[in-house]
Amino acid sequence: MEASVILPILKKKLAFLSGGKDRRSGLILTIPLCLEQTNMDELSVTLDYLLSIPSEKCKARGFTVIVDGRKSQWNVVKTVVLMLQNVVPAEVSLVCVVKPDEFWDKKVTHFCFWKEKDRLGFEVILVSANKLTRYIEPCQLTEDFGGSLTYDHMDWLNKRLVFEKFTKESTSLLDELALINNGSDKGNQQEKERSVDLNFLPSVDPETVLQTGHELLSELQQRRFNGSDGGVSWSPMDDELLAQPQVMKLLDSLREQYTRYQEVCRQRSKRTQLEEIQQKVMQVVNWLEGPGSEQLRAQWGIGDSIRASQALQQKHEEIESQHSEWFAVYVELNQQIAALLNAGDEEDLVELKSLQQQLSDVCYRQASQLEFRQNLLQAALEFHGVAQDLSQQLDGLLGMLCVDVAPADGASIQQTLKLLEEKLKSVDVGLQGLREKGQGLLDQISNQASWAYGKDVTIENKENVDHIQGVMEDMQLRKQRCEDMVDVRRLKMLQMVQLFKCEEDAAQAVEWLSELLDALLKTHIRLGDDAQETKVLLEKHRKFVDVAQSTYDYGRQLLQATVVLCQSLRCTSRSSGDTLPRLNRVWKQFTIASEERVHRLEMAIAFHSNAEKILQDCPEEPEAINDEEQFDEIEAVGKSLLDRLTVPVVYPDGLMLMKPCLYRKGQVPQSQDDAFLQISEDK
């Protein structure tokens, strides 16, 4: 029977064990009767409960029952005393009925209980409250009977409820812990196949029950000695009534079972954690080797343009994002496995290391595949970028070649030719870069089979290889066509440069010839003081004429070259309409002036030679020259020379005109100029 079941009855305090003892160390049971009618059934229940509390050893010493009838009637007291025969006949050794001072007939009452002594089995004494000390020590009596023993019924009842609750919970908890612990031992013997009992959890928290027990034990130990007026009185409630040894025994058993339970929980938690890790590892491995690998197998292309490669890269980033979630789980699992390995449980080391190795191998292999795919796509993107740049360069070069060149001078042609060469060189560099990128990409594609998990990627690789090689061959052909066109354009430009150079040099030849003509007219005027000097001047003049002749011939050759170049370039040269007439006009003027200069020098030589001969024959008396005919001839030559010197060589209209020379009869002019001069003289 539990106090919580009959709590309303116990609260009425129909009977109680105060903790006091008689002189035989028997417990004192007090039944305080009141003015109201006492419910005998409730009293019987109360007595049954109270008598179930002491141990058998205490019960063997017997009970002293104090029936307090001071506030009750004799019939009620008698009924209670008789009821004790049925409730606790063997345990009751003495019944002390406390009577009122002025009530009941002593003789009648004493005689009545005396007659029933043998039948009752215990002695009944009618005694007043102040005389109870004859039978019981005052320190064992409560204050109601003049004693010093302190008793608080509600405090006792509350502690009793706590004790019973602790006893019930601890007993149930001990059974549950024993079941769990025994199930764990059974599971260990059967190769760690856990029993169903291991799935059970205690119905109450062991920590809470232990705390309650310790608090109860502490309270019981504090009640061991209770003082009254400075004195010390022994309270048996901590030993016999409140069962301090029972609490201590329960606490010891609980601690033992709870320690085992904690170890079981630790092993269970470790095993559960290991199984969870194993399950998560298999989830990661299965996904990486399943859907993850399938995603990579499906992505084999490299794209045929920058946009296509960028789209593949974006798709690959999505795949990497999905893998990152599983890699994060891998990192977490690796840390958990490392923590378990550091715990040093040898029985799980092999399994943990195997899981860790398997997980690391799969994750590292998958990460390598992702990195390889990313590098492949990056190389493809760079390849297509270089191909696009090269295509744009070739388009620009082709556009430049398709535009006809009409430069104004040789400098602009040289600049255009230099720009053309730079563009061609840039195309060469771009093509070389494309080949390097393409070869690197081909090398990476050739290694793709190493992570294909047995998948035949020959067809996919062939498509990629054909595309790369096709792009490089197409760029090579386009570059070759541009080179051919550049060669043609270069030849044309060089011819144009040569044309401009010939025209410039021809114009320069005209300028040089004009300068020679100007020098001839302005500086070549001396005829010499004697025949020897005149001959020297004539020789110099002939050399001067040779220089002019070379200049004229050079100009003619240049103009002939321009004609050939114009025919080759299919263009009209300005030289044929301007430079050639100028060259011919200046040369004609120079020729006339030169011939006039020669005539004058020859006349001067003739004059000086004849004069020197006559003077040599008659050096002292020139007046005595007898050959009058010879003298007249010299005079005529001299006058003719003087007349010729007074006539200008070039008229304002640009025609050359000389004074006629004296020719002997029958002498024929030696050139068209002589004929022209002779005709002019005839006119």
Side-chain angles (χ1 to χ4, degrees):
M1 184 181 299
E2 297 180 0
S4 59
V5 178
I6 58 173
L7 183 61
I9 298 176
L10 293 177
K11 286 183 178 180
K12 293 180 180 181
K13 197 179 178 181
L14 299 179
F16 62 88
L17 292 170
S18 63
K21 296 181 181 180
D22 56 18
R23 289 186 173 89
R24 299 187 308 274
S25 297
L27 296 178
I28 297 175
L29 174 64
T30 304
I31 303 176
L33 301 177
C34 57
L35 295 176
E36 299 177 357
Q37 184 67 32
T38 302
N39 189 324
M40 293 303 164
D41 293 335
E42 293 181 351
L43 178 60
S44 177
V45 171
T46 302
L47 292 176
D48 289 340
Y49 175 75
L50 293 176
L51 292 176
S52 66
I53 295 175
S55 62
E56 295 298 328
K57 183 178 179 181
C58 292
K59 291 179 181 179
R61 289 197 292 267
F63 289 91
T64 296
V65 181
I66 299 177
V67 180
D68 188 2
R70 289 176 293 179
K71 297 180 181 181
S72 181
Q73 298 178 359
W74 165 248
N75 292 332
V76 175
V77 172
K78 182 179 178 181
T79 302
V80 170
V81 172
L82 292 176
M83 185 184 65
L84 292 175
Q85 178 184 7
N86 298 324
V87 177
V88 284
E91 288 84 355
V92 177
S93 59
L94 177 63
V95 177
C96 295
V97 179
V98 181
K99 65 179 181 177
D101 294 338
E102 297 179 356
F103 197 75
W104 301 345
D105 186 284
K106 180 178 180 182
K107 183 177 180 181
V108 174
T109 57
H110 186 272
F111 178 76
C112 179
F113 285 118
W114 180 76
K115 288 194 324 179
E116 299 292 333
K117 178 179 180 182
D118 294 336
R119 186 171 65 87
L120 291 174
F122 50 79
E123 183 181 2
V124 179
I125 301 174
L126 293 176
V127 63
S128 59
N130 55 2
K131 294 182 179 179
L132 275 175
T133 56
R134 295 179 181 178
Y135 306 98
I136 303 172
E137 296 295 334
C139 63
Q140 302 297 323
L141 294 173
T142 60
E143 295 178 354
D144 295 336
F145 303 108
S148 60
L149 181 63
T150 301
Y151 175 74
D152 186 344
H153 184 70
M154 293 307 299
D155 179 67
W156 173 85
L157 183 59
N158 291 332
K159 287 182 173 56
R160 188 65 191 175
L161 290 172
V162 173
F163 169 76
E164 290 184 354
K165 180 182 179 182
F166 167 73
T167 303
K168 180 180 178 180
E169 290 180 350
S170 60
T171 303
S172 175
L173 181 60
L174 282 172
D175 294 339
E176 293 175 356
L177 292 179
L179 181 63
I180 294 174
N181 294 335
N182 293 334
S184 175
D185 295 339
K186 180 180 179 181
N188 290 333
Q189 294 175 0
Q190 297 179 355
E191 297 180 358
K192 301 182 181 179
E193 294 180 359
R194 294 187 303 164
S195 173
V196 180
D197 296 337
L198 285 179
N199 296 324
F200 294 161
L201 292 176
S203 58
V204 293
D205 183 19
E207 293 286 348
T208 303
V209 176
L210 285 172
Q211 182 178 0
T212 302
H214 285 298
E215 292 176 354
L216 178 61
L217 182 62
S218 177
E219 183 67 22
L220 294 177
Q221 290 175 346
Q222 289 178 1
R223 286 176 52 86
R224 183 175 179 84
F225 294 99
N226 293 325
S228 177
D229 297 333
V232 178
S233 60
W234 173 258
S235 175
M237 294 179 67
D238 59 343
D239 190 4
E240 289 84 3
L241 299 183
L242 296 181
Q244 178 178 341
Q246 184 178 356
V247 174
M248 296 177 65
K249 182 178 180 181
L250 287 173
L251 286 175
D252 292 339
S253 299
L254 277 176
R255 280 191 291 266
E256 179 183 358
Q257 291 294 336
Y258 183 54
T259 301
R260 292 181 58 194
Y261 172 73
Q262 286 179 322
E263 179 63 21
V264 170
C265 290
R266 190 185 71 83
Q267 294 293 336
R268 181 195 303 177
S269 175
K270 185 183 68 173
R271 190 64 190 175
T272 302
Q273 185 179 9
L274 183 60
E275 291 179 354
E276 291 177 354
I277 290 175
Q278 185 177 9
Q279 182 180 4
K280 291 181 179 180
V281 167
M282 294 312 300
Q283 289 178 353
V284 174
V285 171
N286 292 335
W287 191 90
L288 292 178
E289 292 183 344
S293 297
E294 287 298 328
Q295 289 178 351
L296 285 177
R297 291 191 187 102
Q299 298 295 317
W300 54 266
I302 61 173
D304 57 357
S305 63
I306 293 180
R307 181 174 299 179
S309 295
Q310 289 175 344
L312 289 174
Q313 273 192 333
Q314 184 176 2
K315 178 64 178 177
H316 183 72
E317 289 175 358
E318 295 175 359
I319 296 175
E320 282 186 334
S321 178
Q322 297 180 14
H323 280 75
S324 298
E325 298 177 359
W326 292 97
F327 288 154
V329 177
Y330 156 70
V331 173
E332 181 180 357
L333 289 175
N334 199 30
Q335 292 176 351
Q336 294 178 3
I337 293 175
L340 292 177
L341 288 175
N342 292 332
D345 294 333
E346 296 182 358
E347 57 184 3
D348 299 327
L349 287 179
V350 177
E351 185 176 0
L352 286 172
K353 288 183 178 180
S354 176
L355 287 175
Q356 188 180 41
Q357 187 65 38
Q358 181 184 10
L359 183 63
S360 298
D361 292 343
V362 174
C363 289
Y364 281 128
R365 183 170 60 248
Q366 199 75 357
S368 299
Q369 297 165 13
L370 289 171
E371 183 180 5
F372 178 87
R373 175 64 180 169
Q374 178 63 32
N375 294 336
L376 182 66
L377 291 177
Q378 183 62 33
L381 181 62
E382 294 176 357
F383 172 77
H384 289 124
V386 174
Q388 180 174 313
D389 293 341
L390 180 58
S391 179
Q392 293 175 354
Q393 292 177 2
L394 289 171
D395 291 341
L397 180 59
L398 183 61
M400 184 177 178
L401 293 172
C402 291
V403 177
D404 195 11
V405 180
D409 52 20
S412 61
I413 294 178
Q414 291 286 356
Q415 185 177 0
T416 304
L417 185 59
K418 181 179 179 182
L419 180 60
L420 196 63
E421 295 290 347
E422 290 177 353
K423 285 185 174 294
L424 185 59
K425 183 177 180 181
S426 178
V427 168
D428 289 335
V429 174
L431 183 59
Q432 181 62 30
L434 181 66
R435 290 171 179 168
E436 294 176 357
K437 294 293 184 181
Q439 187 59 45
L441 187 56
L442 290 174
D443 293 340
Q444 289 187 358
I445 291 177
S446 64
N447 296 329
Q448 189 174 7
S450 62
W451 54 268
Y453 284 109
K455 176 180 171 63
D456 187 7
V457 296
T458 305
I459 299 177
E460 291 84 349
N461 282 343
K462 186 176 185 303
E463 293 181 4
N464 293 331
V465 170
D466 291 343
H467 168 69
I468 296 170
Q469 293 178 347
V471 170
M472 291 192 295
E473 291 174 358
D474 179 63
M475 292 299 171
Q476 177 64 37
L477 292 175
R478 291 179 60 186
K479 187 250 184 184
Q480 186 63 45
R481 288 195 296 268
C482 288
E483 282 184 343
D484 296 340
M485 296 178 67
V486 167
D487 292 339
V488 175
R489 179 57 60 89
R490 184 188 297 112
L491 178 59
K492 183 176 180 180
M493 286 185 172
L494 291 177
Q495 288 178 344
M496 294 181 70
V497 170
Q498 189 176 4
L499 174 60
F500 279 106
K501 182 64 175 175
C502 289
E503 289 180 347
E504 291 176 0
D505 291 346
Q508 184 65 44
V510 174
E511 294 296 329
W512 289 343
L513 196 58
S514 297
E515 292 176 0
L516 292 175
L517 175 60
D518 188 63
L520 176 62
L521 296 176
K522 293 181 179 180
T523 61
H524 294 206
I525 56 176
R526 292 185 70 255
L527 299 178
D529 296 336
D530 53 25
Q532 184 64 33
E533 184 179 359
T534 303
K535 290 179 180 180
V536 172
L537 291 174
L538 180 59
E539 184 64 28
K540 290 181 178 180
H541 176 71
R542 288 173 178 169
K543 293 180 179 180
F544 183 76
V545 172
D546 292 338
V547 173
Q549 182 67 45
S550 300
T551 303
Y552 172 73
D553 294 339
Y554 176 65
R556 294 282 296 187
Q557 293 174 0
L558 291 174
L559 292 176
Q560 290 176 358
T562 57
V563 173
V564 175
L565 291 173
C566 286
Q567 292 176 352
S568 176
L569 296 172
R570 297 179 183 178
C571 64
T572 303
S573 174
R574 296 169 299 178
S575 301
S576 60
D578 182 18
T579 308
L580 182 58
R582 288 177 53 217
L583 179 63
N584 291 332
R585 184 172 60 253
V586 174
W587 175 247
K588 182 176 181 180
Q589 292 175 354
F590 183 86
T591 303
I592 294 173
S594 175
E595 290 178 352
E596 177 62 24
R597 172 69 172 168
V598 171
H599 289 317
R600 291 181 179 183
L601 289 174
E602 288 178 349
M603 292 175 66
I605 291 173
F607 174 76
H608 286 302
S609 296
N610 292 329
E612 290 176 357
K613 182 177 180 182
I614 294 174
L615 292 175
Q616 185 177 6
D617 293 339
C618 300
E620 295 180 358
E621 295 181 0
E623 295 85 357
I625 299 175
N626 296 322
D627 193 352
E628 184 175 350
E629 183 181 356
Q630 185 178 7
F631 181 80
D632 291 338
E633 184 180 357
I634 294 173
E635 183 179 8
V637 173
K639 288 181 178 181
S640 177
L641 180 58
L642 290 175
D643 292 339
R644 195 158 190 158
L645 290 175
T646 59
V647 178
V649 178
V650 181
Y651 284 108
D653 60 357
L655 295 176
M656 306 295 294
L657 187 61
M658 292 284 192
K659 289 294 287 183
C661 296
L662 295 177
Y663 296 97
R664 293 184 177 88
K665 288 183 177 182
Q667 186 176 5
V668 181
Q670 299 298 318
S671 63
Q672 292 181 352
D673 295 331
D674 293 340
F676 173 75
L677 292 175
Q678 187 173 0
I679 293 172
S680 298
E681 185 178 2
D682 292 341
K683 290 181 180 179

